[in-house]
Amino acid sequence: MRAKLTYAVTAAVLVVYLVLVGSRGVLLIQAGTAVTVPFGIAVLILPVIGVWFLWKNTQFVRKANRLAAELDAEGGLPVDELRRTPGGRIDRDSADEVFARRRAETEAAPDDWRSWFRLAVAYHDARDTPRARKAMQRAIALHEGRPVTR
């Protein structure tokens, strides 16, 4: 729940920022000079990119949550078996052990979205966010029946 709240607050802040930037772009265009109009158009591109970024990330999160719910209903969500430090952080060696098992599971069933989902969680636990995201994108594509490149 905390992650959802953080995401919602961050998205709301981004939307407010995009509205403010967009209004500045409109004001620059309304000034009507040879310098301010091109700058205004350039400034208006930023909210377009921001909205696209927010939309893509929101879709990714929704699809990943849908997969998590489906996997939970099947009883296939990965169990948190990681050792923790006294401060609550994940022990690196423990994350590596779990990661090795998840990678072997995925290599054994490369077309199973469930194994890719669990691998994404293992990547995340190992603090490898870019690979976690790629693995989750692959899980989503496999679940949706879209072709995936090797």
Side-chain angles (χ1 to χ4, degrees), residues 101-124:
R101 287 199 316 265
R102 298 294 183 224
R103 184 179 60 212
E105 174 189 326
T106 304
E107 288 170 354
D111 295 328
D112 183 15
W113 68 266
R114 293 163 187 84
S115 64
W116 282 99
F117 182 95
R118 288 188 282 268
L119 181 64
V121 172
Y123 270 127
H124 183 269

Side-chain angles (χ1 to χ4, degrees), residues 6 11 23 37 51 57 67 73 76 81 115 117 136 144:
T6 301
S23 68
V37 170
V51 166
N57 279 303
L67 292 188
E81 54 190 303
S115 64
F117 182 95
M136 188 61 74
E144 294 176 348

Side-chain angles (χ1 to χ4, degrees), residues 22-46:
S23 68
R24 297 300 177 220
V26 169
L27 288 174
L28 284 168
I29 291 170
Q30 287 176 344
T33 69
V35 174
T36 61
V37 170
F39 276 131
I41 292 169
V43 167
L44 283 177
I45 291 172
L46 293 175

Side-chain angles (χ1 to χ4, degrees), residues 9-69:
V9 168
T10 304
V13 169
L14 180 61
V15 167
V16 168
Y17 174 76
L18 295 174
V19 168
L20 289 173
V21 169
S23 68
R24 297 300 177 220
V26 169
L27 288 174
L28 284 168
I29 291 170
Q30 287 176 344
T33 69
V35 174
T36 61
V37 170
F39 276 131
I41 292 169
V43 167
L44 283 177
I45 291 172
L46 293 175
V48 171
I49 293 170
V51 166
W52 173 83
F53 176 79
L54 184 60
W55 174 255
K56 294 300 279 184
N57 279 303
T58 301
Q59 291 301 320
F60 174 77
V61 169
R62 289 180 66 226
K63 289 176 182 180
N65 284 340
R66 202 172 310 129
L67 292 188

